[in-house]
Amino acid sequence: MTDYIPYGRQDISQADIDAVVEVLRSDWLTQGPTIERFERAVAEYCGAKHAVAVTSATAGLHVGCLSMGLGAGDWLWTSPNTFVASANCGLYCGAQVDFVDIDPKTYNMSVDLLEAKLIDAEKEGKLPKVVVPVHFAGQSCEMQRIGELASRYGFHVLEDASHAIGARYKDRAVGNCQYSDLAVFSFHPVKIVTTGEGGVVVTNNAELYKKLTRLRTHGITRKPDLMTEPSHGLWYYQQLELGFNYRMTDIQAGLGLSQMQRLDEFVERRRSLAARYDALLSDLPLSLPAQHADTRSSWHLYVVRLQQARPAHRKVFEALRAARIGVNLHYIPVHLQPFYRNLGFNEGDYPSAEQYYREAISLPLYPGLSEADRDRVVSVLTALLGDERAVSAATA
């Protein structure tokens, strides 16, 4: 049993190390063939036609928005229960950002509230150009309904699937883009598959794919058919638009390609741990994570919510940390960040996300979490919730 239990961590095997060493000994450390192999592996797993590897999911969200023409005068809507990148990507493009409150059961964007907000926005002439549903904790949003609303109201859909590689919706892999234009995955070390830092954008749209590949490389093309004049020679390239240096290295791709071989294993382990948490915590005064019938989560996070009658959330959180259990909170509602308050957002704007924030705790969940450490988490939490005096003593 380890002394400190983090809420999440990477799982690196000898095969992963060997894959990275193989790249290091090759002729290509960046912009080489391992990138393409990794992209194909992700696209094929998801059932999408194209994949573009980038430096991070944040970069993927940014170039994803740009590829769909988001700019000044446009609106991007997303969930307030997410990391700030899901909203920041709209601001990077010069657009305005707004939010749709969450479903209090799944913690994903409420499709009922999205529809109501679209009805009002159409009357006001302020329909969004891009909507970013966030697959929180690895559970897909209700993408069919969102896709139907996109067709009705004419907006693009960019799935923030940072938590959801390996998840399924209506028996298909998240990232197949049946109901969206693009989907973005994160490969940060605490995510389900890691490349150290990195992300991938998947799409079925060939034109978006071509634009994404340019935007990640300064807006440059070497394809003669896209150039504005005949090529000057084999060395020639043109910058067609303002892009960025968002290229993933082959070193990272080598790690990711190796990790993809164990994706299903990782997800099944996470599902098993989540099911065991469900059983062990079922008698405690907690709200356990609900699952929509159309989804099979990849369980990036396991979030419980404290019931109001029990000890104060902050004291429970601090007591767990004091017991060297690295719980976390995902997320502070984006609209409550000082930067977004300065844009005009206020407390009370999205009450379900704010209530969730007052109650939520992310428990440790990762493939290497041992049964002994899981039981320690449960034991400490049980003691805290069973005896309010234990909370006061632990935080004194």
Side-chain angles (χ1 to χ4, degrees), residues 186-203:
S186 171
F187 300 112
H188 183 275
V190 298
K191 298 302 196 301
I192 295 163
V193 163
T194 187
T195 58
E197 288 279 5
V200 164
V201 188
V202 290
T203 185

Side-chain angles (χ1 to χ4, degrees), residues 129-152:
K129 186 163 190 174
V130 175
V131 170
V132 180
V134 180
H135 303 324
F136 178 75
Q139 179 173 201
S140 174
C141 296
E142 296 174 62
M143 290 309 302
Q144 183 173 356
R145 289 184 63 194
I146 292 172
E148 290 167 352
L149 291 171
S151 296
R152 188 186 314 167

Side-chain angles (χ1 to χ4, degrees), residues 202-336:
V202 290
T203 185
N204 293 324
N205 185 308
E207 292 306 311
L208 290 179
Y209 168 69
K210 292 174 185 176
K211 190 150 191 180
L212 289 165
T213 58
R214 294 197 302 273
L215 287 169
R216 73 169 173 189
T217 311
H218 300 283
I220 285 172
T221 187
R222 293 181 181 274
K223 296 182 179 180
D225 60 313
L226 296 177
M227 294 181 181
T228 59
E229 61 180 275
S231 174
H232 297 183
L234 296 178
W235 66 87
Y236 194 61
Y237 62 85
Q238 287 187 344
Q239 181 185 344
L240 301 181
E241 55 213 314
L242 183 63
F244 306 87
N245 184 359
Y246 282 168
R247 297 187 300 265
M248 178 184 283
T249 68
D250 278 55
I251 301 168
Q252 294 168 293
L255 175 57
L257 185 59
S258 178
Q259 288 258 305
M260 285 294 295
Q261 311 310 309
R262 291 191 289 151
L263 173 54
D264 288 339
E265 173 189 329
F266 288 154
V267 172
E268 284 309 309
R269 174 62 176 161
R270 287 173 176 274
R271 287 173 177 159
S272 175
L273 287 165
R276 190 61 179 151
Y277 268 143
D278 282 348
L280 294 172
L281 300 174
S282 61
D283 292 332
L284 295 181
L286 297 169
S287 296
L288 303 182
Q291 298 297 294
H292 191 282
D294 289 337
T295 69
R296 286 201 74 204
S297 179
S298 52
W299 289 103
H300 166 54
L301 299 171
Y302 187 92
V303 179
V304 297
R305 293 178 66 170
L306 303 187
Q307 295 175 2
Q308 289 295 319
R310 307 308 296 179
H313 172 273
R314 181 168 179 170
K315 288 187 175 181
V316 172
F317 190 98
E318 290 175 352
L320 286 163
R321 284 280 184 95
R324 296 191 56 75
I325 296 171
V327 291
N328 214 328
L329 203 163
H330 302 86
Y331 288 99
I332 304 165
V334 178
H335 70 285
L336 297 183

Side-chain angles (χ1 to χ4, degrees), residues 50-79:
H50 310 286
V52 179
V54 288
T55 52
S56 66
T58 300
L61 291 166
H62 183 193
V63 294
C65 288
L66 287 174
S67 72
M68 296 184 293
L70 187 71
D74 295 327
W75 285 90
L76 177 146
W77 293 0
T78 190
S79 168

Side-chain angles (χ1 to χ4, degrees), residues 24-47:
L24 289 171
R25 289 175 172 164
S26 75
D27 293 332
W28 297 88
L29 297 187
T30 191
Q31 301 182 70
T34 308
I35 292 283
E36 296 177 2
R37 291 169 57 205
F38 178 52
E39 289 171 335
R40 284 198 301 272
V42 174
E44 289 173 4
Y45 185 92
C46 295

Side-chain angles (χ1 to χ4, degrees), residues 310-320 322-323 380-381 383-396:
R310 307 308 296 179
H313 172 273
R314 181 168 179 170
K315 288 187 175 181
V316 172
F317 190 98
E318 290 175 352
L320 286 163
V380 173
L381 187 57
L384 290 168
L385 295 179
D387 184 354
E388 294 191 18
R389 292 171 298 176
V391 178
S392 298
T395 58

